[in-house]
Structures are given as C-alpha cells and as structure tokens.
Amino acid sequence: MDGRPLKVGGYTPFSTTDYPGHLSAVVFVQGCPWRCGYCHNPHLQQRTRDSPLSWSALLAGLERRVGLLDAVVFCGGEATMDPTLGDAIAQVRALGFKVGLETACIYPDRLKPLLQALDWVGFDVKAPFARYAEITGVAGSGEPARESVEAILASGVDYECRTTVHPAQLPAATLIELAATLAGMGVNNYALQEFRATGCADEALVAAAIAGYPGGDTLAKIAPMFPRFTMRRGH
Ligand code: SF4
C-alpha cells in the first residue's frame, strides 16, 4: 500500500449471487468515468476525497470471516479505476479467499496486470463496439472495451460475459449482431440481463422499458451461439 487505501463506497457482507457457486462478500469501489443511463449505482460514479467506508476496517472484518466466506468480489463503479485495487486483491488473496472482479472493461491497461491474480471475472459488454458511446455517453469507449474483452479471453480466467438489454438501446437485430460478434471472439459463457428500473435515474429509459424483452424469437437465435447462455430476468 502506498498510503492511499481503496476508496470503498459500499459493501455487501454476504452474497450468494455475485460469485457463481460461492458465498462471497462484495466490495463496491468508488469511481466510474462512463455515464450509462441504466446505471444502478450512480452514487458510486464520483470518487470522494474521503472513502465512505474504511478499507482497513473491511479487511479486518474479512480476516475474522476466514472459513465462513469463500470469496471476495470487487465491483463498482469501475473498480479498476482505483490505483490500489491490485494491493487490495493481494491482501484478500493472502487471507485465502478466492477473488472475483466485476468490470465494465474500461481500462484494459489496468486490467491486464490484475488478471493473473483473479479467479473469476464478470464483465460487461454494453453494445456493438462501434456503438458504445450511445450507451456510455463517452466517445471512443468501445475500443478499450474490445481490448479488455480480448485480454480476458486470452488470459484463461474463468468468466461470465454480460449485456444489459433495453429495447430502446439494443433492438433485437443489434442484440443478435452483438451476440454473433462475441461468439466470434470466443466468448463461451454469455448472459443477458433484463433492464431493471430499480436505481435507474433515467426516466426515459424507465418509461420505455418493455417487460419480457428480449422475446423468445430473439433468444432462440442467440442461445445456440454459446455453450453456456443465461437470460436473467428480475435479477
Ligand atoms: S460502466 Fe457501470 S458503473 Fe459506470 S456508469 Fe456504466 S453502469 Fe454505471
């Protein structure tokens, strides 16, 4: 540690869903440079001067739970934005926990050195790479995402690739195009996540949501592209 501890904006002490098949604690790291309309955690987008939660206190709590928990998952915001994430991962590994990372694939150069220390990565692909700015609000955001996905796949780490689906952002034809691109890149575990209004600050997106989207016809085209495919609704 260089004296700047991880900036933690939230913490879930027990989760059965964030690390597949394991009981995990989830650490929400502050900071994200993108502005997706469907973001559930807009309060984590800014990095505040003082960390709302103390990383050293959380780490001490994790140490007391060795044997009760299997894993620790870092998410955000975008956890790779924090320059001390690698140190935090090493500290958690030293306690014997498996380590997971949820990332939006924003910083490939920060992600790559972390991959060998991770047991599992849940990563978002938001749209066809050329159309990323329509979701993130940030020009050029598709290229770092593509580079990150290629690095994750090349690393051999266990993973799940996910896309949040809203009919106004990803119509069926675009979604099928995206799935085909990912399958072509070698993604073998893909999940679609239904848009959730909970926590979403974009009223237009909430109003335009369609229950049950994407429908069975679209899913029937996408599912066979992947050895493992999940449609997650009401998650
Ligand atoms: S990348 Fe994730 S944390 Fe950042 S704005 Fe988008 S949904 Fe929110």
Side-chain angles (χ1 to χ4, degrees):
M1 267 303 165
D2 58 5
R4 297 172 299 159
L6 195 72
K7 284 188 185 290
V8 183
Y11 180 62
T12 300
F14 287 105
S15 168
T16 56
T17 55
D18 283 82
Y19 192 119
H22 292 286
L23 186 61
S24 64
V26 185
V27 178
F28 294 82
V29 181
Q30 282 189 319
C32 182
W34 291 354
R35 293 295 176 265
C36 311
Y38 55 59
C39 186
H40 302 305
N41 293 318
H43 63 286
L44 290 172
Q45 289 170 350
Q46 301 298 330
R47 283 169 67 79
T48 55
R49 193 176 66 87
D50 297 315
S51 180
L53 296 173
S54 158
W55 169 242
S56 58
L58 282 187
L59 191 63
L62 288 170
E63 192 167 2
R64 289 193 294 274
R65 295 165 69 204
V66 169
L68 302 174
L69 276 178
D70 305 314
V72 176
V73 177
F74 293 92
C75 67
E78 173 56 41
T80 59
M81 190 171 181
D82 196 303
T84 67
L85 179 64
D87 295 323
I89 289 171
Q91 289 173 312
V92 163
R93 286 198 77 83
L95 294 176
F97 294 115
K98 289 180 179 295
V99 184
L101 173 70
E102 296 192 350
T103 178
C105 296
I106 298 177
Y107 296 111
D109 291 343
R110 295 178 181 214
L111 176 66
K112 288 173 192 173
L114 301 175
L115 287 170
Q116 62 182 0
L118 296 170
D119 298 293
W120 179 83
V121 178
F123 64 94
D124 295 346
V125 176
K126 294 178 177 294
F129 296 111
R131 302 180 63 166
Y132 249 61
E134 296 171 27
I135 308 283
T136 66
V138 175
S141 45
E143 274 316 302
R146 183 203 303 272
E147 189 179 338
S148 298
V149 172
E150 288 171 350
I152 292 166
L153 297 177
S155 74
V157 69
D158 197 15
Y159 68 84
E160 180 183 83
C161 173
R162 302 95 171 250
T163 299
T164 295
V165 285
H166 187 292
Q169 294 179 321
L170 294 175
T174 308
L175 195 51
I176 292 165
E177 173 198 336
L178 171 60
T181 298
L182 294 172
M185 291 175 77
V187 168
N188 61 25
N189 184 19
Y190 188 44
L192 296 179
Q193 304 187 139
E194 191 174 47
F195 166 81
R196 269 191 306 158
T198 312
C200 173
D202 187 325
E203 292 177 12
L205 278 185
V206 172
I210 299 172
Y213 180 80
D217 289 358
T218 304
L219 296 179
K221 292 184 176 128
I222 292 174
M225 297 184 196
F226 302 94
R228 289 173 66 192
F229 174 75
T230 306
M231 179 67 229
R232 206 163 279 144
R233 299 196 189 271
H235 55 103

